[in-house]
């Protein structure tokens, strides 16, 4: 699939701020494409997505570069810290009234079935690899158009499965990669605080296989609805 055309079409047709972001989980260093360097600074998955989206950054992050160990853990880049896996972290932060509620929630969070060496990032229009997921940060209206475009061909429903924690990692990448269908999420305290996801923005993870039909539907919508 040629992502340069589709990436630019999505930006233009939706009026996106920045780019759709290609994300891939790679098994070993040999899977890193030529020209993709390790990210220069330690940060969080949500920030790596934002860097690719807003500044065109391309690169990969191993467990050493991932500061958010919960995010790296659900993506399979390193083991999930015990305090996160048992819900203690989110209970202490005040996300949940009880420890049991915190544990039930983290047990339900999507998690990678395999183990991975690194997460790989690029703006979609310059991606030189086959993404696992394309992450789009959008306004609600843009998310509406994406949802309508996804459903245009066959109908159905769009999932919005989230819990307000581990949003851009578990909800927008792992859930979509494992299930093979889009998912919409609202961000989390961390992604909004540390990576600048704005109040008026939501996040969608989309399987790459769906992008050609989505782009074609968006063109039709533009012709019919303006």
């Amino acid at each position: 699939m040629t992502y340069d055309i589709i990436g630019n079409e999505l930006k233009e047709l939706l009026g996106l701020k920045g780019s759709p972001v290609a994300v891939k989980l790679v098994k070993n260093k040999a899977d890193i494409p030529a020209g993709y360097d390790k990210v220069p600074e330690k940060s969080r998955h949500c920030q790596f997505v934002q860097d690719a989206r807003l500044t065109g950054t391309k690169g990969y992050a191993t467990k050493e570069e991932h500061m958010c160990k919960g995010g790296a853990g659900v993506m399979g880049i390193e083991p999930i810290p015990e305090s996160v896996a048992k819900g203690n972290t989110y209970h202490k932060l005040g996300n949940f009234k009880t420890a049991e509620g915190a544990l039930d929630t983290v047990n339900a969070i999507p998690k990678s079935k395999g183990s991975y060496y690194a997460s790989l990032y690029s703006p979609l229009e310059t991606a030189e690899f086959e993404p696992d997921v394309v992450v789009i940060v959008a306004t609600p209206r843009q998310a509406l158009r994406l949802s309508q475009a996804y459903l245009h061909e066959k109908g159905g429903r769009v999932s919005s499965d989230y819990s307000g924690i581990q949003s851009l990692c578990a909800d927008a990448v792992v859930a979509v990669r494992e299930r093979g269908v889009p998912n919409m999420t609202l961000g989390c305290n961390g992604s909004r605080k540390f990576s600048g996801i704005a109040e008026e923005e939501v996040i969608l993870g989309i399987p790459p296989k769906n992008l050609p039909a989505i782009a074609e539907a968006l063109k039709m919508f533009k012709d019919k609805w303006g």
Side-chain angles (χ1 to χ4, degrees):
M1 189 183 302
T2 304
Y3 291 113
D4 58 340
I5 296 173
I6 289 180
N8 283 309
E9 286 179 341
L10 291 175
K11 290 168 65 175
E12 179 182 352
L13 291 164
L14 291 167
L16 294 175
K17 176 184 177 181
S19 299
V21 178
V23 179
K24 186 178 182 66
L25 302 178
V26 297
K27 282 286 189 181
N28 51 63
K29 191 172 184 178
D31 295 330
I32 303 293
Y36 285 76
D37 297 323
K38 188 177 289 189
V39 295
E41 296 181 1
K42 293 182 179 181
S43 192
R44 299 162 176 83
H45 165 73
C46 49
Q47 185 63 58
F48 299 140
V49 170
Q50 284 281 71
D51 289 344
R53 173 198 175 203
L54 298 175
T55 67
T57 302
K58 300 165 68 171
Y60 68 94
T62 70
K63 64 181 181 180
E64 284 77 19
E65 288 72 52
H66 277 275
M67 292 176 64
C68 178
K69 299 305 181 180
V74 296
M75 292 191 294
I77 296 171
E78 60 180 304
I80 301 174
E82 184 177 357
S83 62
V84 175
K86 292 188 175 181
N88 298 336
T89 295
Y90 297 112
H91 184 221
K92 290 179 180 178
L93 286 171
N95 292 71
F96 304 96
K97 183 176 181 179
T98 67
E100 292 78 14
L103 179 59
D104 286 346
T105 303
V106 297
N107 282 342
I109 287 173
K111 302 171 184 68
S112 288
K113 295 177 181 177
S115 298
Y116 298 92
Y117 169 70
S119 49
L120 182 63
Y121 306 90
S122 172
L124 181 63
E125 65 270 20
T126 59
E128 297 166 318
F129 58 87
E130 182 69 25
D132 291 329
V133 178
V134 174
V135 178
I136 299 179
V137 181
T139 66
R141 185 180 185 280
Q142 292 164 344
L144 167 65
R145 287 290 180 260
L146 279 167
S147 300
Q148 291 170 323
Y150 170 70
L151 297 175
H152 180 257
E153 186 174 12
K154 296 181 179 179
R157 303 280 291 176
V158 174
S159 172
S160 183
D161 176 36
Y162 64 91
S163 59
I165 57 176
Q166 296 183 308
S167 181
L168 272 79
C169 48
D171 298 346
V173 172
V174 179
V176 178
R177 187 180 189 277
E178 296 291 337
R179 300 169 184 171
V181 294
N183 190 40
M184 186 171 70
T185 180
L186 300 184
C188 56
N189 292 350
S191 62
R192 293 189 181 275
K193 177 180 179 180
F194 295 113
S195 70
I197 300 294
E199 286 189 18
E200 66 274 14
E201 292 175 333
V202 299
I203 304 97
L204 295 96
I206 300 174
K209 65 183 180 182
N210 297 129
L211 293 178
I214 286 174
E216 288 306 307
L218 289 172
K219 293 174 190 175
M220 188 278 293
F221 294 162
K222 183 178 181 180
D223 291 340
K224 289 184 71 71
W225 301 338

